[in-house]
């Protein structure tokens, strides 16, 4: 079976309420959606979340990059098995118009195209996308045997003090086991915030923090030390990527494991982090890291280096990425933390007909329908589409 055409859409999805962290405040999410149509008429959907401060991508840039890529040449192969589909996905290489030493420019587009292809062929084969993982040779040591019937997501508390007690208490009552707190915003007293959150969330919850590159390496210990009293289990991306090399020396003195996020976008970044021992954990996000298959390989690299990994998400992911993340999380063992599937809590209107939002305690079931197991609400797509592009393959 061959791909007939790809269609790309830039969709602007309004959020229910603003989401704040040290690098950005967002009221809406501009995502790139890809529709992959097979010669038989079967359709698959994929999604990427381009963020200029993470991989340098923008939604308009993704469309331009796709338009400049020889898609018909790259995606023309005939596929009848998962290994052939994996090889097809690897042949997709977005056109580069700039130096890309970290190998991350185009990752949101890669992710969107790859997910659409996996969804379409999963539907053709009558198998869920989670089935592809066992066909990736590098992923063998990290596969979950057997796959779980449900997974548990954690929750995030964003920057600011607004209704902090209520946020902590309601999330505690909802049964979450772990919580990530955004820190490092200039106007925030993070020591007081964490004390409040610990008090109202209770002693049992696993609390970790994400500074989104807010602190300078030479002041890192001063920022962190007052927060350690709240028994934080991990600090995510404490310094800007430009200063990440300093973590090699600082890390053993900090008294808390370090997770890289903005500094972990590609295999190049991962090998650098492993070689220089700048972290204890990787934050893998499907869109940031270039898709489902690349995230499998990055998790396998972390595992081989005896580092931990989590599957994170971008605030603003719709049900397509929620479903893709669920398939990934159900096929991989030993995921330290799992983020995502916030759909109904994020959006006024869902882009998918199915609601992938987690339930009580952050629990969400594994998905067994063919492909990603979600379908697009075409009316919502039409209302939110800003721009689109069609690439013929056949
Ligand atoms: Mg982060």
């Amino acid at each position: 079976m061959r791909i007939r055409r790809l269609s790309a859409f830039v969709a602007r999805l309004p959020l229910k309420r603003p989401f704040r962290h040290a690098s950005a405040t967002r009221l809406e999410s501009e995502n790139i959606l890809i529709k992959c149509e097979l010669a038989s008429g079967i359709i698959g959907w994929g999604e990427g979340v381009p963020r200029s401060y993470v991989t340098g991508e923008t939604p308009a840039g993704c469309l331009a990059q796709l338009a400049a890529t020889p898609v018909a040449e790259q995606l023309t192969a005939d596929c009848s098995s998962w290994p052939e589909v994996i090889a097809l996905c690897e042949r997709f290489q977005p056109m580069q118009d700039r130096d890309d030493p970290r190998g991350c420019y185009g990752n949101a587009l890669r992710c969107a195209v790859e997910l659409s292809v996996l969804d379409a062929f999963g539907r053709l084969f009558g198998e869920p996308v989670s089935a592809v993982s066992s066909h990736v040779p590098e992923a063998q040591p990290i596969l979950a045997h057997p796959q779980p019937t449900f997974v548990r997501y954690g929750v995030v508390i964003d920057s600011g003090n607004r209704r902090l007690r209520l946020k902590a208490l309601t999330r505690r009552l909802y049964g979450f086991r772990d919580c990530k707190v955004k820190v490092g915003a200039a106007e925030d007293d993070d020591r007081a915030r964490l004390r409040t959150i610990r008090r109202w969330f209770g002693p049992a919850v696993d609390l970790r923090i994400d500074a989104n590159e807010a602190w300078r390496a030479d002041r890192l210990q001063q920022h962190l030390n007052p927060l350690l009293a709240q028994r934080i289990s991990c600090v995510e991306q404490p310094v800007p990527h430009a200063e990440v090399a300093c973590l090699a020396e600082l890390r053993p003195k900090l008294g808390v494991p370090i997770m890289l996020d903005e500094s972990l976008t590609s295999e190049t970044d991962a090998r650098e982090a492993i070689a220089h021992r700048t972290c204890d954990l990787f934050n893998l996000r499907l869109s940031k890291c270039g898709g489902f298959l690349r995230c499998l390989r990055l998790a396998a690299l972390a595992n081989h280096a005896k580092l931990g990994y989590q599957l994170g998400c971008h605030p603003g992911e719709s049900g397509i990425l929620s479903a893709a993340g669920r398939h990934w999380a159900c096929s991989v063992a030993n995921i330290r933390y799992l983020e995502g599937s916030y759909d109904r809590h994020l959006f006024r209107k869902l882009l998918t007909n199915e609601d992938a939002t987690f339930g009580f305690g952050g629990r969400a079931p594994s998905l067994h329908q063919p492909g990603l197991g979600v379908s697009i609400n075409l009316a919502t797509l039409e209302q939110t589409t800003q721009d689109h592009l069609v690439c013929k393959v056949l």
Side-chain angles (χ1 to χ4, degrees):
M1 179 65 65
R2 289 173 192 262
I3 295 172
R4 179 185 291 156
R5 70 170 78 91
L6 295 186
S7 310
F9 304 80
V10 172
R12 193 174 290 165
L13 307 171
L15 302 181
K16 261 185 178 171
R17 54 187 79 87
F19 185 87
R20 300 180 185 84
H21 61 70
S23 311
T25 294
R26 104 180 20 270
L27 293 162
E28 57 190 16
S29 184
E30 241 186 8
N31 301 358
I32 177 132
L33 304 170
I34 302 281
K35 179 166 89 169
C36 170
E37 198 179 329
L38 302 183
S40 64
I42 287 178
I43 284 170
W45 285 91
E47 179 180 29
V49 185
R51 296 283 188 255
S52 56
Y53 52 87
V54 183
T55 56
E57 296 168 278
T58 61
C62 285
L63 281 197
Q65 206 179 7
L66 185 64
T69 303
V71 176
E73 236 169 75
Q74 295 180 358
L75 296 182
T76 190
D78 199 351
C79 296
S80 56
S81 67
W82 281 120
E84 287 172 350
V85 174
I86 293 168
L88 179 70
C89 290
E90 273 154 23
R91 276 198 290 276
F92 178 69
Q93 295 298 336
M95 184 60 85
Q96 300 291 354
D97 63 354
R98 63 198 68 196
D99 279 347
D100 181 34
R102 293 172 64 193
C104 65
Y105 188 72
N107 273 358
L109 178 62
R110 277 189 190 97
C111 176
V113 169
E114 181 200 83
L115 290 180
S116 75
V117 172
L118 295 178
D119 185 27
F121 280 97
R123 288 171 194 272
L124 175 72
F125 301 155
E127 288 187 35
V129 165
S130 53
V132 78
S133 303
S134 62
H135 296 275
V136 176
E138 302 92 317
Q140 298 308 311
I142 55 158
L143 295 181
H145 295 297
Q147 291 197 0
T149 53
F150 72 93
V151 288
R152 286 190 76 163
Y153 291 87
V155 72
V156 178
I157 293 182
D158 63 352
S159 302
N161 285 312
R162 205 170 154 264
R163 301 198 296 179
L164 201 54
R165 258 191 254 175
L166 186 68
K167 282 181 185 172
L169 191 59
T170 51
R171 284 153 179 76
R172 176 187 190 169
L173 294 173
Y174 203 69
F176 287 109
R177 293 189 305 191
D178 66 88
C179 173
K180 175 159 103 180
V181 181
K182 295 287 190 178
V183 296
E187 63 281 12
D188 280 353
D189 177 350
D190 288 322
R191 185 182 193 168
R193 291 177 68 239
L194 277 170
R195 204 166 45 221
T196 303
I197 292 168
R198 170 59 79 191
R199 185 165 167 210
W200 291 90
F201 221 134
V205 71
D206 180 317
L207 273 189
R208 63 189 189 281
I209 57 175
D210 183 0
N212 287 99
E213 309 186 292
W215 297 325
R216 301 297 303 264
D218 57 0
R219 302 255 306 144
L220 179 54
Q221 280 179 290
Q222 286 98 308
H223 284 295
L224 265 180
N225 284 343
L227 310 182
L228 296 182
Q230 301 310 327
R231 294 183 292 109
I232 54 174
S233 58
C234 170
V235 55
E236 187 174 324
Q237 196 69 38
V239 299
H241 178 65
E243 297 189 11
V244 78
C246 301
L247 294 176
E249 198 195 321
L250 285 169
R251 189 174 65 94
K253 305 175 195 163
L254 295 177
V256 61
I258 290 188
M259 183 185 295
L260 291 186
D261 182 9
E262 285 85 344
S263 292
L264 202 293
T265 60
S266 63
E267 189 180 326
T268 305
D269 282 351
R271 292 196 183 277
E272 191 90 351
I274 291 167
H276 296 102
R277 299 169 170 268
T278 50
C279 73
D280 302 278
L281 297 127
F282 290 174
N283 183 0
L284 306 174
R285 300 192 262 172
L286 297 178
S287 177
K288 177 190 71 165
C289 298
F292 195 98
L293 302 171
R294 284 185 177 214
C295 279
L296 287 175
R297 296 188 183 103
L298 292 174
L301 274 179
N303 177 64
H304 184 71
K306 300 199 165 31
L307 302 180
Y309 47 88
Q310 75 155 33
L311 185 68
C313 71
H314 289 279
E317 294 185 358
S318 86
I320 301 173
L321 273 164
S322 296
R326 186 83 50 82
H327 286 285
W328 198 93
C330 287
S331 61
V332 173
N334 300 321
I335 300 173
R336 191 72 58 88
Y337 303 107
L338 178 59
E339 298 168 1
S341 278
Y342 300 121
D343 306 37
R344 208 173 52 241
H345 301 291
L346 270 184
F347 298 111
R348 268 180 245 135
K349 239 186 215 174
L350 298 185
L351 184 62
T352 48
N353 293 315
E354 298 76 9
D355 181 356
T357 316
F358 51 65
F360 185 76
R363 280 191 188 81
S366 55
L367 303 173
H368 300 287
Q369 298 88 342
L372 289 173
V374 291
S375 57
I376 293 295
N377 183 322
L378 295 174
T380 307
L381 177 68
E382 197 177 326
Q383 286 157 14
T384 55
T385 292
Q386 306 297 306
D387 202 357
H388 82 284
L389 171 79
V390 177
C391 303
K392 276 190 178 177
V393 178
L394 266 190

